[in-house]
């Protein structure tokens, strides 16, 4: 492809999206002038300036709005064109070109160069733009896929290149034209526009070999903006609201539920326009949630909801002292805790669980002796769940949010984690020098005299520390009856950091009573984690914050006041004891956001 590659840099230009790819090895000059969009420039890591700054709603604001603001049509929030993440790129390659293509050694090596961008704590942390590292990886992926397709007749035939088996000079032009149309429809998730077809035909007329032409066409498509973004063309624009077309809707549905490109059924419904009918959309949402890939999506949500994609993720577990570890394998146990909670959330949601059920169900899927012993049952060996032991239920009585890497759990760290994920609050960082201010609570003599809770209250109960710690500390105190591994306890043993059993400093009784402030005009008077879980299940803040996590996970966009009408309906569903969490997911997907997009 030297004749094409002599320039060394090409411009991605599709419907106004434009960024430089240094060293690209494919034709990437697409122009679809139907709709104007902001440019994307190399190295950008923030959202383009097409959006208006909107106030982010507090959970309490959303939860009390109810119908007051929703008697008028929703003032839909601005939505950017979302970039495919690494998981979605891999799924798109597999579902377009086949498992063998994705698993090819060269393709896997190229994917290894792409940074992990699947996990994020909040939607705002997902950068919709490409930096140079991602561009280079996309370039390598496109090249590896192009070479595999061009070198494998069966794969080539499966994506529209069947005519190449008997190609002649007389049939070459028609064959390449057919290949461009068929592969373009698969990769871009819609039919190609005339300018795109003409630009791809430049590869065909460039005096290259058949393999180079197939590679060039494939690479160009895989490096184009309509492939790399959930890029929506729409049919009409009115008052800054873009009405989406059938191909946009089919693509949205598929990525929202399966994290991949539309399957044959969705593609046929897009071609016919049937997917624009609300009844058909509902049917397809129900169908797609039966796909095993939807369960993978829900497992990802479980980790997102519980903060495992953030700085508040579950830490490594203690390896000493021996009397605390008590024969457990800390590394394997941590792995099983994370795996089990995903299976639990998936099972509950796909079996009609409500938000309350997620917090109160006694079902467990602990499949190792270590975790099963903590949860109070024999390890699970089938698809049927076990029942947890006395006092153990729901996600909060699992150690995923309360585990500690030290022998003495930090009530402060626990509280910050819980406040973030259960109340959707952010407490920020402590002021400079705060740790060294006031009483030294690490002195052995003072540790012997006072419990860990009392020391924390002495350290943070006044001054500049108090505002944040009055919110975080009580949450941590309520979970004081759970040790670093999540086992129940009535006393705390404090050791020298990393010490042996002989380094025990003190033993104190545990007080797990607390007055928990949410920061949203709601508070809980609790005595232990079980009491807190029960109260949260029947609160306003619990369903409201959970609904926000659902919305931001699906839309990859932070909720704002413009989303109030939709969010109120979702919160009502989450609060409804007759409707499951899965119905709330479907409600978000089937909202007006499926067929419309505010662009400014």
């Amino acid at each position: 492809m030297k004749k094409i590659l002599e320039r060394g840099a090409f411009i991605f230009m599709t419907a106004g999206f434009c960024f430089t790819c240094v060293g690209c090895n494919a034709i990437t000059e697409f122009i679809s002038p139907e709709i104007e969009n902001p440019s994307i420039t190399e190295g950008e890591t923030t959202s383009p300036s097409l959006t208006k700054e909107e106030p982010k709603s507090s959970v309490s604001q959303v939860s009390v709005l109810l119908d007051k603001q929703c008697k008028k049509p929703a003032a839909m929030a601005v939505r950017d064109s979302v970039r495919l993440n690494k998981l979605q790129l891999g799924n798109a390659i597999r579902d377009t070109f086949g498992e063998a293509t994705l698993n090819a050694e060269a393709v896997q090596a190229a994917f290894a160069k792409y940074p992990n961008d699947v996990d994020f704590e909040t939607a705002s942390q997902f950068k919709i733009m490409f930096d140079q590292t991602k561009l280079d990886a996309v370039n390598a992926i496109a090249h590896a896929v192009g070479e595999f397709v061009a070198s494998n007749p069966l794969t080539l035939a499966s994506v529209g290149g069947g005519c190449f088996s008997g190609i002649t000079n007389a049939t070459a032009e028609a064959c390449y034209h057919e290949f461009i149309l068929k592969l373009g429809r698969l990769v871009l998730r819609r039919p190609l526009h005339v300018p795109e077809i003409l630009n791809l035909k430049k590869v065909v007329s460039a005096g290259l070999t058949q393999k180079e032409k197939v590679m060039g066409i494939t690479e160009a498509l895989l490096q184009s903006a309509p492939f790399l973004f959930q890029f929506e063309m729409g049919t009409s624009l009115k008052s800054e609201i873009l009405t989406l077309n059938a191909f946009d809707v089919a693509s949205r549905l598929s990525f929202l539920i399966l994290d991949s490109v539309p399957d044959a059924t969705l593609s046929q419904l897009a071609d016919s326009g049937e997917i624009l009918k609300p009844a058909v959309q509902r049917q397809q949402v129900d169908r797609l949630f039966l796909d095993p890939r939807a369960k993978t999506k829900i497992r990802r949500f479980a980790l997102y909801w519980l903060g495992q994609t953030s700085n508040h993720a579950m830490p490594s577990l203690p390896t000493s002292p021996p009397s605390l570890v008590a024969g457990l394998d800390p590394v394997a146990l941590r792995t099983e805790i994370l795996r089990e909670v995903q299976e639990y959330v998936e099972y509950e949601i796909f079996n009609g669980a409500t938000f309350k059920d997620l917090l109160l169900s006694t079902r467990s899927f602990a499949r190792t002796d270590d975790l099963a012993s903590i949860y109070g049952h024999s390890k699970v060996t089938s698809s049927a769940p076990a029942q947890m032991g006395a006092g153990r239920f729901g996600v909060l009585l699992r150690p995923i949010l309360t585990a500690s890497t030290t022998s003495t759990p930090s009530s402060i760290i626990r509280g910050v984690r819980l406040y973030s994920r259960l109340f959707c609050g952010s407490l920020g960082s402590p002021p400079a020098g705060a740790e060294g201010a006031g009483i030294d609570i690490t002195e052995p003599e003072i540790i012997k005299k006072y419990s860990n809770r009392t020391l924390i209250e002495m350290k943070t109960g006044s001054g500049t520390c108090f505002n944040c710690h009055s919110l975080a500390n009580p949450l941590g105190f309520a979970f004081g009856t759970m040790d670093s591994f999540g086992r129940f306890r009535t006393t705390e043993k404090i050791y020298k950091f990393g010490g042996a059993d002989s380094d025990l400093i003190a033993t104190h009784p545990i007080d797990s009573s607390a007055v928990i402030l949410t920061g949203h005009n709601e508070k809980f008077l609790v005595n232990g984690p079980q009491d807190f879980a029960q109260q949260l299940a029947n609160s306003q803040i619990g369903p409201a914050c959970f609904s926000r996590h659902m919305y931001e996970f699906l839309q990859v966009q932070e909720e704002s006041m413009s989303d109030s009408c939709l969010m109120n309906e979702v919160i009502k569903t989450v609060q409804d004891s007759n409707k499951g969490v899965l119905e709330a997911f479907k409600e978000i997907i089937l909202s007006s956001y499926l067929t419309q997009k505010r662009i400014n």
Side-chain angles (χ1 to χ4, degrees), residues 408 441-450 492-497 500-508:
T408 302
I441 62 175
T442 64
E443 285 292 330
E445 289 306 312
I446 200 168
I447 290 173
K448 290 177 183 178
K449 188 175 181 181
Y450 299 107
E492 64 177 1
K493 294 184 177 181
I494 304 177
Y495 300 83
K496 293 180 182 178
F497 184 76
D501 290 327
S502 59
D503 293 323
L504 178 66
I505 298 174
T507 300
H508 297 290

Side-chain angles (χ1 to χ4, degrees), residues 72 81 86 264 299 381 418 446 458 496 507 571 596:
K72 60 182 181 180
S81 292
K86 186 175 184 177
R299 288 191 176 216
T381 57
L418 292 162
I446 200 168
M458 292 166 65
K496 293 180 182 178
T507 300
I571 291 168
Q596 293 181 319

Side-chain angles (χ1 to χ4, degrees), residues 132-208:
Q132 193 60 48
T133 300
K134 291 187 179 73
L135 285 175
D136 290 342
V138 166
N139 176 249
I141 292 167
H143 179 73
V145 171
E147 186 160 28
F148 185 89
V149 171
S151 304
N152 290 269
L154 290 178
T155 303
L156 180 59
S158 72
V159 294
C163 59
F164 287 111
S165 60
I167 194 170
T168 65
N169 289 336
T171 62
E173 183 177 354
C175 181
Y176 282 112
H177 181 75
E178 177 185 346
F179 177 62
I180 287 170
L181 295 183
K182 289 183 176 179
L183 183 62
R185 173 65 180 86
L186 289 172
V187 173
L188 302 194
R189 310 180 286 277
R190 58 163 173 78
L192 294 178
H193 302 299
V194 172
E196 295 168 335
I197 297 170
L198 295 176
N199 277 295
L200 284 169
K201 283 188 173 182
K202 293 178 182 178
V203 179
V204 179
S205 61
L208 306 174

Side-chain angles (χ1 to χ4, degrees), residues 9-11 18-23 39-45 129-133 135-136:
F10 298 91
I11 305 296
C18 176
F19 54 87
T20 302
C21 175
V22 179
S39 294
I40 300 176
T41 57
E42 176 189 334
E44 265 192 44
T45 57
M129 301 307 170
F130 281 91
D131 57 25
Q132 193 60 48
T133 300
L135 285 175
D136 290 342

Side-chain angles (χ1 to χ4, degrees), residues 192-396:
L192 294 178
H193 302 299
V194 172
E196 295 168 335
I197 297 170
L198 295 176
N199 277 295
L200 284 169
K201 283 188 173 182
K202 293 178 182 178
V203 179
V204 179
S205 61
L208 306 174
T209 66
Q210 177 182 307
K211 180 179 179 179
E212 289 173 330
K213 291 176 182 179
V214 170
M215 286 179 63
I217 293 167
T218 305
E219 291 178 46
L221 287 166
L222 292 179
Q223 294 179 86
S224 66
F227 171 69
L228 295 171
F229 287 79
Q230 294 180 48
F231 182 64
E232 291 141 342
M233 301 297 294
T235 58
S236 63
L237 181 63
K238 184 178 180 181
S239 300
E240 300 182 332
I241 301 295
L242 180 69
T243 298
L244 304 186
N245 64 37
F247 303 102
D248 300 333
V249 172
S251 187
R252 271 203 182 186
L253 277 179
S254 191
F255 278 106
L256 281 169
I257 302 172
L258 305 182
D259 277 323
S260 191
V261 296
D263 62 9
T265 300
L266 277 177
S267 295
Q268 290 168 5
L269 290 171
D271 287 335
S272 67
E274 287 291 297
I275 196 63
L276 296 177
K277 296 179 179 179
V280 175
Q281 292 164 8
R282 179 71 199 206
Q283 291 169 358
Q284 291 307 302
V285 168
D286 291 340
R287 178 182 72 86
L288 292 175
F289 268 111
L290 298 176
D291 190 296
R293 290 172 291 176
K295 292 187 175 181
T296 301
K297 184 89 172 191
I298 294 301
R299 288 191 176 216
R300 281 187 56 223
F301 169 71
L303 295 181
Y304 176 78
W305 169 38
L306 297 172
Q308 301 310 299
T309 59
S310 72
N311 293 332
H312 300 308
M314 181 180 170
S316 58
L317 297 175
T319 57
S320 65
S323 62
L324 174 69
V325 178
L328 298 174
D329 180 338
V331 175
L333 178 58
R334 181 183 184 277
T335 299
E336 176 62 5
I337 290 170
L338 291 169
R339 187 212 62 78
E340 190 276 340
V341 78
Q342 293 178 75
E343 185 175 4
Y344 166 73
V345 171
E346 174 211 306
Y347 177 91
E348 292 292 336
I349 288 179
F350 279 97
N351 282 277
T354 63
F355 173 70
K356 287 184 180 181
D357 293 329
L358 291 177
L359 295 189
L360 304 179
S361 169
T362 58
R363 283 181 278 266
S364 167
F365 291 89
R367 298 183 182 276
T368 65
D369 289 325
D370 281 358
L371 187 59
S373 69
I374 293 173
Y375 288 176
H377 60 79
S378 299
K379 70 178 181 181
V380 175
T381 57
S382 69
S383 59
Q387 294 296 311
M388 289 179 152
R392 182 86 61 176
F393 50 82
V395 293
L396 298 186

